[in-house]
Amino acid sequence: MGIIAMIKGEEPGLVKQLAHLPKGKGHFGEYLTEYALEHGNIGAVAVFSNVIVPRDFGPTSTSEVDVVMLHEKGVFVIESKNYSGWIFGSPDQRDWTATLNPRAKERFYNPIKQNRSHVKALSRHLGLEPGAFQSFIVFSERCEFKEVPPDTDEYAICHRGRLLARMRKRLDRLDPVFGDAELERLKAALAELAGNSTREARSAHVEEVKRVASGEACPWCGSELVERNGRYGPFTGCSAYPKCRFTRDR
């Protein structure tokens, strides 16, 4: 993105950008993505950011979706990433890597899997089949794709400056899936979720994620982890056993 995108109206002016920069790189990337979708003339019915979605699976009780775009051709779920350096990852790896140099590497959860859980949560909450969703993973211009998967029918991975072009290409081959009445229902449901996504709700979600990442909570179901003694010695297990059978060696 840049001057040309500003001229087209697909990117906010410098004054608006500067107003959002102090809120952090993550927020800034989501703001640019949301702005492009709202002003990119692609037929968006509504766009929402930082949507907290309740869920009944996985280690946390909620999913936080960076950006959701409602369109007559589907619900587009966008995961925004703001890493620098070279990006490495495959569809099945748990973690991907952002590498600035051999001694500066940062691991982050596989965004394909991350968006897959977002789609699952939205699918259940909105009462839609998974096929009604489109998954896009958007990276900042500061990174370079060294080894990332090619696009599939399930997901697309691109830099933010290419998002609208990739989305238009996807939209060209999709048929409408929602009528006017269903669009109104979905818009109201998503607006309610967005309205409930308060600072407190986001903070609670972040705390749950931290508990799982630190090893305090079970990565499968989110229950407390406890120390146990087994046939082969001590181990860490899920307190929800036998419903959840997660274990980890000490």
Side-chain angles (χ1 to χ4, degrees):
M1 292 187 157
I3 298 299
I4 295 177
M6 289 184 192
I7 294 172
K8 290 182 177 179
E10 298 171 355
E11 184 173 311
L14 291 177
V15 173
K16 289 183 178 180
Q17 291 193 36
L18 290 173
H20 285 266
L21 273 175
K23 298 180 181 180
K25 290 188 297 183
H27 169 86
F28 186 64
E30 291 156 12
Y31 166 66
L32 291 179
T33 299
E34 183 180 11
Y35 190 96
L37 296 175
E38 288 179 332
H39 297 83
N41 195 29
I42 56 175
V45 174
V47 182
F48 303 93
S49 61
N50 299 119
V51 179
I52 303 292
V53 187
R55 67 181 189 181
D56 57 0
F57 62 92
T60 59
S61 61
T62 55
S63 279
E64 183 175 11
V65 187
D66 289 338
V67 182
V68 182
M69 182 185 79
L70 178 61
H71 194 282
E72 66 171 353
K73 294 186 176 183
V75 179
F76 288 72
V77 181
I78 297 99
E79 177 66 24
S80 177
K81 297 297 182 186
N82 290 281
Y83 293 97
S84 300
W86 293 347
I87 305 297
F88 297 86
S90 68
D92 298 324
Q93 285 179 303
R94 184 188 183 279
D95 295 311
W96 285 19
T97 305
T99 304
L100 283 171
N101 59 61
R103 284 182 281 182
K105 296 182 179 180
E106 184 174 359
R107 296 189 180 278
F108 57 98
Y109 186 57
N110 182 336
I112 295 174
K113 294 179 179 290
Q114 188 175 12
N115 234 20
R116 197 172 283 156
S117 68
H118 295 336
V119 167
K120 185 177 180 180
L122 281 167
S123 173
R124 293 188 179 188
H125 187 80
L126 298 176
L128 297 174
E129 292 296 324
F133 294 84
Q134 298 290 324
S135 175
F136 276 75
I137 298 150
V138 182
F139 284 83
S140 73
E141 308 295 337
R142 302 190 313 276
C143 70
E144 180 180 350
F145 297 146
K146 279 295 183 180
E147 187 179 304
V148 300
D151 293 356
T152 69
D153 288 340
E154 179 191 0
Y155 55 80
I157 302 170
C158 64
H159 287 102
R160 188 168 293 111
R162 295 291 299 162
L163 173 61
L164 291 177
R166 297 286 275 277
M167 197 165 277
R168 289 186 181 107
K169 185 176 180 180
R170 178 66 62 94
L171 287 167
D172 284 344
R173 62 182 180 83
L174 292 174
D175 295 321
V177 293
F178 302 131
D180 291 343
E182 183 69 342
L183 283 172
E184 285 302 314
R185 181 187 77 82
L186 293 172
K187 182 178 179 180
L190 288 169
E192 182 178 6
L193 283 177
N196 292 334
S197 300
T198 61
R199 180 179 297 179
E200 291 75 15
R202 289 194 291 272
S203 295
H205 172 78
V206 169
E207 286 304 313
E208 283 190 313
V209 172
K210 286 181 178 178
R211 287 182 64 250
V212 173
S214 67
E216 297 177 26
C218 174
W220 289 5
C221 72
S223 300
E224 294 293 327
L225 293 176
V226 295
E227 302 300 320
R228 300 184 186 277
N229 287 306
R231 182 177 179 182
Y232 301 103
F235 67 94
T236 299
C238 181
S239 60
Y241 177 87
K243 183 178 180 180
C244 176
R245 295 179 178 270
F246 172 81
T247 62
R248 182 180 66 211
D249 294 335
R250 283 188 180 177

